[in-house]
Amino acid sequence: MKKPQKSKSFKYNLETVLKVREIRQKQQEERLSKAQKHLTVEQKKEMEIKDFQSEKFTELRGILDTGKTITDFSEIMRRKSHLDVVKEQVVAQEKKRVEAEEQRNDERKKLVAANQKKQVMETDKDKKKVAWRRVMAREDIKRLDDMTQSRFARKPKDL
């Protein structure tokens, strides 16, 4: 680690690295936001398909529960096969939703890692700034001591 040097203002030597990490963190936040929006869309689609499925099941039960004699068995079979297709759509949509959740969780983990990397750099910057302030305080004390000594040496001694 390089010792802090005397200067008029504090300059962090890894400022560009810190900026890059901040940029990467912001990019990761955007990716997480996109993943969250994608998950929301997939959840909405899943709910719509499930609502449609439950509506069609209700219609089929209504037909079967009327107590009437079933005259058109082919109509019931068509509805049943349609419900099977809708069930496959529900299963496929659930898989898409699970994949979207996994993607969001991965993006969240990456964001946490980016935050940690940035935090490490900020902590290092803070420590170096504290060390720089100590060096500057020592330099000020030295300068004041030198001024005091030179004034004391200039004064004629009265004995």
Side-chain angles (χ1 to χ4, degrees):
M1 183 170 127
K2 185 178 170 185
K3 287 188 176 182
Q5 295 180 351
K6 178 173 110 167
S7 64
K8 290 193 179 212
S9 64
F10 175 72
K11 289 187 174 53
Y12 184 51
N13 58 349
L14 297 174
E15 189 68 36
T16 55
V17 176
L18 180 61
K19 286 181 182 179
V20 167
R21 294 213 172 151
E22 288 174 354
I23 290 169
R24 287 191 179 149
Q25 177 193 7
K26 288 178 185 176
Q27 290 173 341
Q28 192 59 43
E29 287 173 353
E30 290 172 3
R31 283 189 223 123
L32 177 62
S33 175
K34 286 180 183 177
Q36 183 63 40
K37 287 178 184 176
H38 179 67
L39 175 62
T40 304
V41 167
E42 295 299 328
Q43 287 173 337
K44 185 177 178 183
K45 286 180 184 177
E46 182 180 357
M47 290 304 298
E48 289 173 356
I49 293 172
K50 284 183 177 181
D51 289 343
F52 179 76
Q53 182 185 31
S54 66
E55 180 182 313
K56 293 302 176 183
F57 266 123
T58 306
E59 285 179 16
L60 183 60
R61 281 191 203 112
I63 292 172
L64 295 175
D65 291 342
T66 56
K68 296 180 185 176
T69 310
I70 301 172
T71 56
D72 192 11
F73 189 69
S74 63
E75 173 69 23
I76 294 174
M77 291 305 292
R78 276 195 308 265
R79 287 181 181 255
K80 169 95 172 72
S81 64
H82 182 257
L83 284 172
D84 291 340
V85 170
V86 172
K87 183 178 180 181
E88 291 173 6
Q89 290 175 347
V90 168
V91 170
Q93 188 60 38
E94 285 174 348
K95 286 181 183 177
K96 287 181 184 178
R97 179 190 45 85
V98 168
E99 289 172 2
E101 285 176 348
E102 289 173 357
Q103 182 182 5
R104 183 205 51 199
N105 292 339
D106 290 343
E107 295 298 333
R108 185 176 288 148
K109 287 177 186 176
K110 290 177 184 176
L111 178 62
V112 168
N115 283 337
Q116 288 174 345
K117 288 179 180 179
K118 183 183 142 210
Q119 189 65 33
V120 166
M121 294 301 294
E122 288 176 345
T123 303
D124 182 56
K125 180 179 180 178
D126 293 341
K127 286 180 181 179
K128 287 188 178 184
K129 191 168 192 173
V130 167
W132 174 80
R133 284 186 180 150
R134 275 192 250 130
V135 166
M136 292 307 295
R138 278 190 230 125
E139 291 295 323
D140 284 343
I141 290 171
K142 284 181 187 177
R143 187 177 50 83
L144 292 174
D145 285 346
D146 288 343
M147 285 178 18
T148 305
Q149 284 179 353
S150 66
R151 281 193 181 174
F152 185 73
R154 274 193 249 154
K155 268 189 176 181
K157 295 184 181 179
D158 293 331
L159 290 174

